[in-house]
Every structure is written in C-alpha cells, then in structure tokens.
Amino acid sequence: MGQGGSGRNAAKFPEKLDAVVIGSGFGGAVSCCRLAQKWGKGVLLLERGKRYPMGSFPRTPHQMAENFWSDPADRNRPKRMRGSGLRGLFDIRNYTKMDAVVSAGLGGGSLIYANVFLEPPEQVFAANWPAGIDRAFLQPYYDVAKSVLGARPIPSWDSDPRRYISRTKLFQDFARDQRRESKLSDICVFFGNDYNYKIPQSAPAGIGLQEKNRYGATQTSCTYCGECDVGCNTHSKNTVDMNYLHVAEQVHGARIQTDALVDKIVPLNERGEEDAAADGRHGYRVHFHELDDGAAWVDTQRVVVSAGTLGTNELLLRCRDLYRTLPRIGRQLGQRFSGNGDFVSFAAAGKKVADPNYGPVITQYSDYNLFTAHDPQRAFILEDASYPAFMAWFIEGMQPMLNPLGIARKFWRALKWLWRRIKQTFAGGKWSGQVADLFHEVLADDLSYRSSVLLCMGMDKGDGVLSLKEGRLDIHWPQASSMPLYRAIVDCGKKFKAFVDSGFFTPLPTWTWPLRNNITVHPLGGCALAHDAEQGVVSAGSDRGQVFGYKGLYVADGSVMPGALGANPAATISAVSEWIAEGITGMPPDDDLGMHHRRTH
C-alpha cells in the first residue's frame, strides 16, 4: 500500500460505480465475478500487480532477479530489495519470528499456489468459527467453487506411463510405513475439458494439448513440468484469471485495472463529500496510485477489500490509525493472525527415487491428526512437492556441500571412465560415440532425483497480532505457543529421512538457530468473521462479510478466517467469498458463472 505521492489526482470515472473490489486473489476474483453478474461495468477491480499472459512468467536468472515486489519504503522486505521498487510476482516480507511470501499480479495468490482444493474437517469449524458457520453450512459454496476451479485428482498412469509420478508413490509408501492414510489431492489443474476422474471412460487430453476451457480461456493440458509455484507459463493451472476473472471481464463487462495500488478508503456523506464521520451508507471514495501515471480516485457505492491477509489488514489499519478515515473499525482488527502452520523441510540424497522435478507441485496428502484422531496441539497434513527442473541444476551445484560422498563417487567414476578411454586409445581404439558414457556416469543418479520436499501445514494457535509500525504492517508472532505443532512436524520429517535413508535432512534455513523463523505462504486472520464487534471485524450474520460499524464495506479473503484451517486455504477462502458475494448481490452462485443467463438475454 502506498501513502500517496506526487502526480495528478483526478477522478478515474465521472460516474459513481456500483462496486470497487481491491485485490484479485481468490476472494477478489469471486467477488468481482459475482458482483459483475449483477452490475456489469459498474464494477471495477484494482490490482497492484500486472497481467501475466501465457508464457510471460520469468525463467532466466536475470528475469527471476527482477521477479519480486518491493515497496522502496518498506523495511520488512529483505535488505537487498529495499529501495529497488521492483514490480514482480513474489512479495517477500520479513518479520520477527514469522516471514511471509505472497503474490502481486492479476490472479493474486492463485498465480503461485500449489493447486490444492481441500476442505478442512468439521473439528476446525467447531474450534474457531462463529456459531452456525461450519462445514455443512458452507458445503454448497465449496461445491460451486470446486467446480469452477476444476479441482480433481491427477489422472491414472495405468494407460499412459508418462503420467507416472515417482514422488506420489514414494509419499504413499511412506504413509503406509507410518500407518497413516494418504489420499490423492483434488488439484485445480487443467487436464482437458472432458477429464472426469469419476467416469472411467473419460480420458485426460493429451499432455500439452491446448483448448479453450468451459469459460472461453485458452489453457494447455498439464505438461508435468513442476513449475506451478513460479507461475504456469502454459496456463495449465486453473488460476482465477482463467475462470472467475476471465468471465467477469470478458462476459459481464467488469473493468479491471492492474498496476493500481490502493492508498486509502474514505466514506462519503450525503453531499458526496469525504467525511470520516460517515458510516458508508452514501458510498466511499477509494484513493489509489496508477503506478505509471500517479494518484487517482474513484467513487463507489460499496467496496470489497480482498487484498490478501497482509494487504487487507495493512490497508484497514492505515485507514483507521494513520489516516483516521475509518475510525469505527473495532479493536479486533489485526487479531487472531495465523500462519496456517506452514512448514517446509528437505530430505536430500535418499536411497529411494523421488524425481521431484516432474508433475504438478502437490499430488497427495497424508493425515497427521487433522482429519482423524484430531489432536489440536499436533494436527497437520504432509504433502509431497515438486520444484522446476531448472532448479535441479542448482541443487546439483550444491552437491559437494550436501552430499560430499556422492560427489566423490561421481569423481571416481569419471576418473575410471577416463582411464578406460586412455587404455582404449593406446590399444588403437576410437572414442567416437562414447562421450555419452561420461555424462551417464556423472549425471545419472543425481542428487535432485533422490531428494524430497516435505510440505506441511496444520493447526497453529492463530494468536498472532498484526499492527502498524512506522506506518507499515508488522507481525507479532508468539511462536512458543505453537511449538508442539512444529516439533511434531520436524519429528515427521526425521522419520521420512530414515524411511528414504537420506544423507541430509533440514527444515528451511530460517528455522535454524538462532533465527528460528517460520515462513508462511498462507497468512490468515486479522479481520475475523464473528457475530459481534467484540469477537471480530466482519459480520457472520445477516450482513455477511460487512465490516462492523460500516455500510457497504466488505472484506472477502483469507483475513476473515477466524484461525488456522490446517488444510490448504484456497477452497475455504473461495467458498466463504461465494457466500459473502451472495449476500451482497442476493444471487445464489452457480458454476456457470452467469454465462448462460448473459447469453440468453
């Protein structure tokens, strides 16, 4: 969020809009599409990042170096990025005991998520959520979102060996060894329009085959490249710009402006003037920066804030405490922050094949006391993970440090190869066609091929606090209260190390003493759903999603989660956002996204 600056300051649109949506992740995309079904071009979405057409995600070292988002004035960015003013995909934040990785771009977090659509168990809702909002209540909204996002398991490899994913089998074997249950994840990946895992006769489209999806966006049947988390250049991932946002803009006429950074929200009085004492019934003025053109503003009857947990809390905290334009927001703002128990570990140089560079990023999950035998202190899931093939060369370069014996064996094999060739030369033989032997000796059985990435998430205590420090978002994370969870996750990783007979196991370097920092890619909370302002920020009642104290001001993203979900949050954020959008528009959601109604009228 910017704080203002020089340049023009003009009304973006002469008319008062029906709705402005801030942010384009799962919450913003759902909101934009559903509101546009009702109000069409009267809906404007503002996104700080840029569009990513097919093939535009960076891959070269130079491009990747520029592929970060960095507000020059924010001290919570890594030191090397401060002052750079980068406008790339990854927004990395450093805080005490908790770091965060979020996304900037049209599609928000969906651009870098690992595709999983997983509904948390009933116990999660019973522990944290306001009465009446539970799994059964949200099930119709889960069902719609699941259909729109195309969530389904990976296709069977029985009829096509190219679809075999070694690490899926490895993690399934580990689960059985530990007497745990492994299930194939529903993942939001495009395998062709006709693929339905429930129908044995339906087959996925050929790998790499392009076609228009059911909403008219061009996608490619998954190429198994393992690049989901760095932006899918083939648009095989069902990011929200392939469905919700595509229909909102192309079918319903919503206006989408990228490179637009929102500064503040100010309520209007009956004369259409900015008035911090107003309660929003006469609308709002949204001030933002067009990053290439300067300051601008737009008037609207209602605002949906969907800037992600960090962005939404920062914007609302600034409006309440810095600009004092939204003074009615209560003291619960910023409370109940959760990192969703995110934890990642690595097991390198194992004796069992992992092949982590092939397939969608996540294909299965194993239950550790989240769904069955629920243990709120140690409830988590273990998921497999891939990383792009180009990263494997970097891993190979680290082999002298991670696996010195392995590199010594490669060196010895290379020397033996050279000695054989020398003897062959003196015997009058030729080397022709035998150089391939050397590459096979050195590269076969590489370190990356037998290395695994372990992704976990679980029920942390959700007792963090978001606040402003020198005008910027800050996180206070009481890590100690969630340590039983983290110790259980590390213990699981050590058991995996023994199972694969790995020569090297470590959590992320940030977990090493003396740093001991968590990293979350699923920040949640701060604007919790509740039945009154003493318990949360956003209404769980008849004014669903509306901020207590204001009319027409809504929040729909991960920030409304009342605590950790334990599961990947995309499903629940989407379902809750569908429920909130229904309350705003009065229109029940459908997985056709209103396309049939638009065509027939």
Side-chain angles (χ1 to χ4, degrees):
M1 307 300 160
Q3 289 194 47
S6 60
R8 66 184 181 87
N9 191 343
K12 184 64 180 177
F13 300 102
E15 77 274 24
K16 187 177 185 179
L17 300 182
D18 293 289
V20 168
V21 179
I22 301 170
S24 64
F26 291 100
V30 169
S31 301
C32 181
C33 184
R34 298 308 186 184
L35 271 59
Q37 280 182 243
K38 181 162 186 174
W39 291 299
K41 66 178 182 179
V43 176
L44 169 69
L45 182 141
L46 298 172
E47 164 58 48
R48 62 175 177 158
K50 58 188 176 184
R51 293 177 185 260
Y52 285 93
M54 187 179 291
S56 64
F57 290 103
R59 289 294 182 268
T60 68
H62 177 75
Q63 291 172 339
M64 292 299 287
E66 302 292 317
N67 195 28
F68 296 92
W69 180 276
S70 180
D71 188 329
D74 194 342
R75 296 182 179 181
N76 292 312
R77 264 65 173 194
K79 287 184 178 180
R80 289 181 177 272
M81 291 166 54
R82 295 176 197 168
S84 59
L86 298 175
R87 286 158 58 178
L89 181 64
F90 294 97
D91 183 353
I92 300 176
R93 312 280 190 98
N94 299 134
Y95 303 102
T96 304
K97 295 300 180 183
M98 177 68 78
D99 298 328
V101 181
V102 294
S103 179
L106 187 64
S110 78
L111 299 176
I112 63 172
Y113 83 131
N115 317 313
V116 175
F117 192 98
L118 183 58
E119 300 165 24
E122 184 58 48
Q123 298 94 318
V124 169
F125 297 96
N128 296 319
W129 287 62
I133 311 297
D134 56 20
R135 169 79 172 267
F137 177 83
L138 289 174
Q139 196 60 57
Y141 305 98
Y142 277 121
D143 292 344
V144 168
K146 183 176 182 179
S147 178
V148 174
L149 294 170
R152 49 202 167 179
I154 54 173
S156 168
W157 51 70
D158 291 343
S159 59
D160 187 349
R162 293 182 303 164
R163 297 190 184 276
Y164 177 72
I165 302 174
S166 300
R167 64 186 153 82
T168 306
K169 179 68 163 53
L170 176 62
F171 277 72
Q172 289 172 335
D173 291 345
F174 175 64
R176 280 191 291 270
D177 179 78
Q178 298 295 302
R179 294 181 174 85
R180 300 284 179 176
E181 185 177 20
S182 167
K183 290 186 177 181
L184 290 179
S185 302
D186 285 322
I187 56 175
C188 305
V189 174
F190 188 70
F191 295 106
N193 287 312
D194 296 331
Y195 170 57
N196 185 336
Y197 72 98
K198 294 181 180 179
I199 303 176
Q201 294 79 13
S202 72
I207 293 174
L209 181 68
Q210 285 190 347
E211 55 184 302
K212 288 188 181 295
N213 67 19
R214 61 191 290 200
Y215 302 114
T218 300
Q219 294 192 255
T220 306
S221 182
C222 182
T223 62
Y224 289 66
C225 66
E227 297 182 359
C228 310
D229 285 352
V230 292
C232 182
N233 266 330
T234 58
H235 279 181
S236 303
K237 185 163 72 162
N238 295 336
T239 51
V240 292
D241 53 329
M242 297 291 100
N243 36 73
Y244 284 108
L245 291 175
H246 181 84
V247 174
E249 185 175 34
Q250 300 300 322
V251 178
H252 300 308
R255 290 179 274 200
I256 295 177
Q257 181 162 350
T258 56
D259 300 302
L261 190 60
V262 174
D263 295 318
K264 62 182 176 181
I265 304 165
V266 188
L268 303 175
N269 59 28
E270 63 275 11
R271 296 181 298 278
E273 302 165 337
E274 294 189 8
D275 187 348
D279 66 358
R281 70 183 64 222
H282 301 291
Y284 296 87
R285 181 164 295 165
V286 178
H287 292 263
F288 62 98
H289 262 77
E290 298 177 297
L291 296 178
D292 294 318
D293 297 319
W297 52 266
V298 60
D299 287 348
T300 177
Q301 186 58 41
R302 54 189 62 79
V303 177
V304 181
V305 185
S306 303
T309 293
L310 302 188
T312 291
N313 278 279
E314 186 169 20
L315 175 60
L316 294 181
L317 282 164
R318 284 186 184 174
C319 288
R320 187 190 68 178
D321 301 340
L322 190 63
Y323 303 128
R324 304 188 185 282
T325 59
L326 296 174
R328 296 168 180 257
I329 300 179
R331 62 184 181 180
Q332 286 296 315
L333 179 60
Q335 304 296 311
R336 300 169 73 176
F337 169 80
S338 166
N340 205 40
D342 287 354
F343 205 94
V344 61
S345 303
F346 303 92
K351 297 294 177 61
K352 299 179 185 293
V353 172
D355 193 10
N357 312 128
Y358 191 73
V361 166
I362 293 173
T363 62
Q364 67 80 53
Y365 66 95
S366 302
D367 179 33
Y368 282 77
N369 310 319
L370 180 64
F371 289 89
T372 58
H374 187 79
D375 179 353
Q377 299 294 319
R378 299 169 182 83
F380 66 95
I381 55 174
L382 167 66
E383 298 175 331
D384 61 307
S386 71
Y387 52 88
F390 65 79
M391 289 281 296
W393 294 99
F394 174 76
I395 300 296
E396 285 302 297
M398 296 178 64
Q399 185 158 191
M401 178 179 67
L402 298 178
N403 188 25
L405 290 178
I407 200 70
R409 284 194 294 267
K410 290 178 183 288
F411 183 66
W412 177 243
R413 288 199 296 263
L415 286 178
K416 288 196 297 182
W417 178 90
L418 182 60
W419 177 241
R420 289 197 301 269
R421 300 291 81 78
I422 290 173
K423 289 195 298 182
Q424 189 175 5
T425 299
F426 280 108
K430 296 182 179 180
W431 288 34
S432 176
Q434 298 184 28
V435 175
D437 293 347
L438 174 60
F439 283 92
H440 179 74
E441 292 284 358
V442 174
L443 294 180
D445 200 29
D446 60 282
L447 175 66
S448 178
Y449 191 63
R450 296 182 182 273
S451 296
S452 299
V453 183
L454 287 69
L455 296 180
C456 292
M457 60 199 73
M459 297 300 294
D460 68 27
K461 291 302 180 184
D463 51 359
V465 178
L466 301 168
S467 61
L468 291 183
K469 183 178 181 180
E470 299 179 2
R472 300 285 165 175
L473 189 73
D474 191 44
I475 297 177
H476 170 67
W477 179 241
Q479 187 185 75
S481 59
S482 296
M483 282 303 293
L485 169 66
Y486 302 134
R487 282 194 290 265
I489 290 174
V490 172
D491 182 63
C492 171
K494 291 177 178 177
K495 290 177 180 177
F496 186 91
K497 172 184 181 293
F499 175 75
V500 299
D501 196 6
S502 170
F504 181 81
F505 168 79
T506 183
L508 269 180
T510 58
W511 188 250
T512 305
W513 187 89
L515 293 178
R516 196 68 83 191
N517 264 35
N518 291 100
I519 296 180
T520 179
V521 295
H522 302 125
L524 303 172
C527 298
L529 282 166
H531 286 304
D532 59 68
E534 293 300 312
Q535 301 297 320
V537 177
V538 171
S539 175
S542 58
D543 295 327
R544 61 180 89 167
Q546 192 166 251
V547 175
F548 291 117
Y550 287 94
K551 304 290 186 183
L553 178 61
Y554 301 88
V555 177
D557 58 18
S559 70
V560 305
M561 302 296 113
L565 296 171
N568 309 66
T572 304
I573 294 171
S574 301
V576 170
S577 298
E578 287 278 19
W579 170 67
I580 291 173
E582 181 187 41
I584 298 173
T585 64
M587 300 165 56
D590 65 319
D591 62 0
D592 186 59
L593 300 182
M595 292 178 64
H596 174 75
H597 176 80
R598 184 69 64 177
R599 285 194 296 264
T600 56
H601 290 75

